[in-house]
């Protein structure tokens, strides 16, 4: 799978481990940074990760910061993107199955290394449900994106 990844300085160490883990499993990874511990704003990284998904360069995205919360907020500001904080097994697959989430956001301060790998694997293996109830809800979310974009 092609995966776009990024994060801020608070997720730097975990991002390095995740990059290696993904590549060892044969995934193609687009690394948008950060590349060191120097401070950077997560909204800048979120724009890069999400742009590569919207352009079709990547199928899914992973954002790593301190808590995952700011990264999720930033990603969800971008029309066409659905992102979720993922810190447990259920949300790792349910976010994709029910809400067609493209970007998982995790916090280095919250999730340990081994759990991170399990969550990513679960997220990447999940597929959006064919159940009409979830399809209708995601269509409504997509319409909301358009309505917001029209006001700008």
């Amino acid at each position: 799978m092609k995966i776009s990844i990024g994060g801020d300085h608070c997720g730097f160490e975990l991002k390095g481990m995740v990059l290696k883990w993904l590549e060892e499993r044969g995934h193609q990874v687009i690394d948008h940074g950060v590349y060191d511990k120097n401070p950077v704003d997560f909204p800048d990284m979120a724009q890069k990760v999400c742009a590569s998904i919207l352009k079709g360069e990547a199928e899914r995205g992973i954002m790593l910061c301190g808590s995952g919360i700011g990264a999720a907020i930033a990603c969800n500001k971008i029309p066409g993107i659905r992102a979720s904080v993922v810190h447990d097994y259920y949300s790792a697959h349910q976010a994709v199955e029910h809400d067609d989430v493209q970007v998982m956001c995790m916090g280095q301060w919250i999730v340990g290394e081994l759990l991170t790998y399990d969550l990513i694997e679960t997220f990447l293996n999940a597929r959006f449900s064919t159940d009409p109830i979830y399809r209708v809800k995601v269509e409504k979310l997509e319409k909301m994106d358009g309505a917001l974009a029209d006001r700008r």
Side-chain angles (χ1 to χ4, degrees):
M1 183 179 285
K2 292 182 182 178
I3 301 162
S4 181
I5 190 169
D8 69 5
H9 54 287
C10 296
F12 171 72
E13 291 173 10
L14 186 59
K15 186 178 83 69
M17 291 181 265
V18 167
L19 273 170
K20 181 181 176 192
W21 185 86
L22 288 168
E23 289 170 348
E24 287 173 352
R25 277 146 190 79
H27 296 287
Q28 295 177 17
V29 183
I30 303 168
D31 181 5
H32 294 286
V34 298
Y35 308 110
D36 56 40
K37 290 186 179 182
N38 290 322
V40 65
D41 296 330
F42 59 80
D44 298 332
M45 298 295 106
Q47 287 181 347
K48 292 177 182 182
V49 168
C50 294
S52 67
I53 292 168
L54 293 172
K55 291 177 188 174
E57 298 167 349
E59 299 164 67
R60 301 263 174 97
I62 299 171
M63 281 287 299
L64 301 164
C65 65
S67 68
I69 296 167
I73 292 169
C75 291
N76 281 310
K77 296 286 185 182
I78 299 170
I81 293 294
R82 287 173 302 283
S84 179
V85 173
V86 173
H87 288 157
D88 63 87
Y89 173 77
Y90 182 76
S91 62
H93 66 85
Q94 186 272 339
V96 176
E97 293 167 354
H98 293 187
D99 302 310
D100 201 19
V101 164
Q102 307 117 308
V103 182
M104 72 181 303
C105 303
M106 292 186 293
Q108 178 174 303
W109 302 333
I110 311 297
V111 182
E113 180 184 357
L114 297 179
L115 179 57
T116 295
Y117 302 147
D118 287 345
L119 296 178
I120 292 171
E121 186 169 14
T122 300
F123 175 75
L124 296 179
N125 288 325
R127 297 293 172 255
F128 185 37
S129 173
T130 58
D131 187 326
I133 193 168
Y134 302 118
R135 298 282 170 153
V136 168
K137 291 176 185 179
V138 169
E139 287 174 13
K140 289 181 179 184
L141 291 172
E142 290 170 347
K143 287 179 184 173
M144 290 172 70
D145 278 345
L148 293 174
D150 291 343
R151 284 194 240 154
R152 291 186 183 140

